[in-house]
Amino acid sequence: MLKTEEIVQIMSKQGLRITDQRRTLAKLFAESAGYLSPKDVYEYMCQHYSGLSFDTVYRNLRVMQELGALEQIMFEEGVKFKARCSEDHHHHHLICLTCEKTYPITFCPMKLTDVPDQFQVVKHKFEVFGYCKDCLATEAEGLSVPSSTAVEISK
Amino acid sequence: MLKTEEIVQIMSKQGLRITDQRRTLAKLFAESAGYLSPKDVYEYMCQHYSGLSFDTVYRNLRVMQELGALEQIMFEEGVKFKARCSEDHHHHHLICLTCEKTYPITFCPMKLTDVPDQFQVVKHKFEVFGYCKDCLATEAEGLSVPSSTAVEISK
DNA sequence: CTACCTGCAAACTTTTTGCAGTCAA
DNA sequence: TTGACTGCAAAAAGTTTGCAGGTAG
C-alpha cells in the first residue's frame, strides 16, 4: 500500500495543491488497512476539521481516484476507497469480510482460463472473501468488537 | 438462464401473487441476455403499463432477488439484475462490456489458489470482462448501434 | 497575485416508506 | 372476501454543482 508521502507526491506532481485536509486524507488512507466509504472518510475527517462539508470529501476522493492514488471498489453497500497497492506487478486480493483488510494473492487465474470462441478479454476480477486470522481470533475470544476499519491517526 | 415459467413458479411457490406486471417482469428477465438496471426495467415496463411507478419496480426487483429468481450485481454504474443462472453447478462468467451478455466459464480458480495462513474462505468472485464475438462483429461493420440489452417482448 | 480549494446551499439521482384504493386467489 | 399488490406522494440517502470567499504556491 502507498505511504502518506507517496500519496502526497502523486497529488503534488499532478499539480494539486497540498492542503492540510488533503495531507490528512493521504495519511488516513496510508494507515488504513481496509476499505473506507465516503461516510467513513467524512466522519473521520470531521474529528479534525469542524466545518467540514461532505461535498469536499467527495471532490477529493474523486480527484485522488482519478489521479490513481486511490482505488475505488463497489461493494453491496456502496462505493468504497483505499490507497492504491504499491506492488507494481499484477495481483489479486483476499478480502476480510469483517475488517475489510486485504491480502495479496500472487496467483492469477487468467492464464489458465479457457476463453471461448473469439471473446476479446479486456480485464478480469478475482476476489476471495472470508475472515482473516486476526478477526477469527477476535471472534474466538468472544469479543463483540470487530477490529474497526477506522484508524487512530495523530494529526 | 431461467425461463419465464420457472421464474413465475419460484414466485408462486413462495406465496407471491402473480400479477400481470410480475409475469411481464419474469418474461423480460427470461428473455434478456444481459444485465438490467432498475431504470432499464422501469423504462421497459412503462411501455406496457402507463401509470407505472418506480417504487413498484424496486419492490418487485427486491422481492424477486430475495426469492432467488434474480441475481443482483454491482457495476461501477450501479446495481443491475438478471435472471438467476439455471445451471446448478458452480461456474463463473465472461461478461461482454458492450451488450453485458454473459457466457459461462466452467473453470474455477479457487481450487488452485493458495490461501495464506488461516484465512477462512467464505466466497469468491471471478469475472472476466471483454467483448463478445457478436459485438466485435457489429463494431467491425462500422455500425454505431451496439446490440441493446433491452429486448422486444410480445405481451 | 492568481488559480485552485473549501464551505454553503441547493439541485439531482437513486431508493425507501406510509397510505388508501385495487385485485389475485 | 381478504390480504397482498399497486400508484401516489413524500421522505431519506447518496452524490453533484454553482458560487463567493479563502489560501497554497
Side-chain angles (χ1 to χ4, degrees):
Chain A
M1 213 108 89
L2 294 179
K3 296 200 177 74
T4 307
E5 278 314 309
E6 292 176 302
I7 297 176
V8 170
Q9 282 309 310
I10 289 174
M11 293 196 283
S12 179
K13 275 181 187 162
Q14 312 254 359
L16 290 198
R17 296 201 174 154
I18 306 308
T19 62
D20 212 45
Q21 202 174 132
R22 282 184 177 156
R23 187 177 296 280
T24 306
L25 267 179
K27 200 163 186 179
L28 170 64
F29 278 105
E31 301 182 12
S32 291
Y35 291 89
L36 300 175
S37 68
K39 200 176 192 174
D40 292 333
V41 175
Y42 175 70
E43 283 167 1
Y44 173 78
M45 294 294 285
C46 270
Q47 298 171 13
H48 298 265
Y49 304 91
S50 59
L52 185 70
S53 61
F54 230 122
D55 48 75
T56 304
V57 170
Y58 273 110
R59 273 188 283 237
N60 280 328
L61 287 177
R62 182 136 60 105
V63 164
M64 291 170 77
Q65 191 248 317
E66 283 168 357
L67 258 48
L70 299 185
E71 286 177 12
Q72 177 182 331
I73 299 199
M74 297 296 293
F75 284 84
E76 312 265 311
E77 322 88 60
V79 229
K80 299 205 175 180
F81 297 84
K82 84 172 184 58
R84 191 190 76 201
C85 296
S86 51
E87 312 186 39
D88 43 349
H89 58 280
H90 178 70
H91 65 286
H92 296 282
H93 288 123
L94 285 128
I95 302 172
C96 177
L97 293 168
T98 303
C99 67
E100 288 184 347
K101 188 174 171 185
T102 62
Y103 303 81
I105 303 175
T106 52
F107 168 64
C108 175
M110 208 51 229
K111 325 174 178 60
L112 302 177
T113 305
D114 228 12
V115 175
D117 193 22
Q118 301 184 36
F119 191 96
Q120 182 191 327
V121 174
V122 172
K123 63 174 181 176
H124 62 281
K125 196 184 277 189
F126 177 45
E127 289 160 353
V128 180
F129 299 88
Y131 300 102
C132 73
K133 190 179 167 184
D134 296 345
C135 290
L136 286 173
T138 305
E139 191 190 0
E141 283 171 32
L143 301 177
S144 61
V145 184
S147 65
S148 165
T149 52
V151 231
E152 261 319 305
I153 295 183
S154 57
K155 184 180 170 193
Chain B
M1 213 107 88
L2 292 179
K3 296 201 177 74
T4 307
E5 278 314 311
E6 292 175 302
I7 297 176
V8 171
Q9 282 310 311
I10 289 175
M11 292 196 284
S12 180
K13 276 182 185 163
Q14 311 255 358
L16 290 197
R17 297 205 172 150
I18 307 308
T19 61
D20 212 45
Q21 201 173 132
R22 281 183 177 157
R23 188 176 296 280
T24 306
L25 267 180
K27 199 164 186 177
L28 170 63
F29 278 105
E31 300 182 14
S32 292
Y35 291 89
L36 301 175
S37 67
K39 199 174 193 173
D40 292 335
V41 176
Y42 175 70
E43 282 168 1
Y44 173 79
M45 294 293 286
C46 270
Q47 299 171 13
H48 298 264
Y49 305 91
S50 59
L52 184 70
S53 60
F54 229 124
D55 48 76
T56 304
V57 170
Y58 272 109
R59 273 188 283 237
N60 281 328
L61 287 177
R62 181 137 59 106
V63 163
M64 292 170 76
Q65 190 247 319
E66 282 168 357
L67 258 49
L70 299 186
E71 288 177 12
Q72 178 183 331
I73 299 200
M74 296 296 293
F75 284 84
E76 314 264 314
E77 323 87 59
V79 230
K80 299 204 173 178
F81 297 83
K82 83 172 187 55
R84 192 190 73 201
C85 296
S86 51
E87 312 185 38
D88 43 350
H89 58 281
H90 178 70
H91 65 286
H92 296 281
H93 288 122
L94 285 127
I95 303 173
C96 177
L97 292 168
T98 302
C99 67
E100 287 184 346
K101 189 173 171 187
T102 62
Y103 303 82
I105 303 175
T106 51
F107 167 63
C108 176
M110 208 52 228
K111 325 175 178 57
L112 302 176
T113 304
D114 228 12
V115 175
D117 191 21
Q118 302 185 33
F119 191 96
Q120 182 191 327
V121 174
V122 172
K123 63 174 180 175
H124 62 281
K125 195 184 279 188
F126 176 45
E127 290 160 352
V128 180
F129 299 88
Y131 300 102
C132 73
K133 191 178 165 185
D134 296 346
C135 290
L136 285 173
T138 304
E139 191 190 1
E141 282 173 31
L143 300 178
S144 62
V145 185
S147 64
S148 165
T149 53
V151 231
E152 260 321 305
I153 295 183
S154 57
K155 182 179 169 190

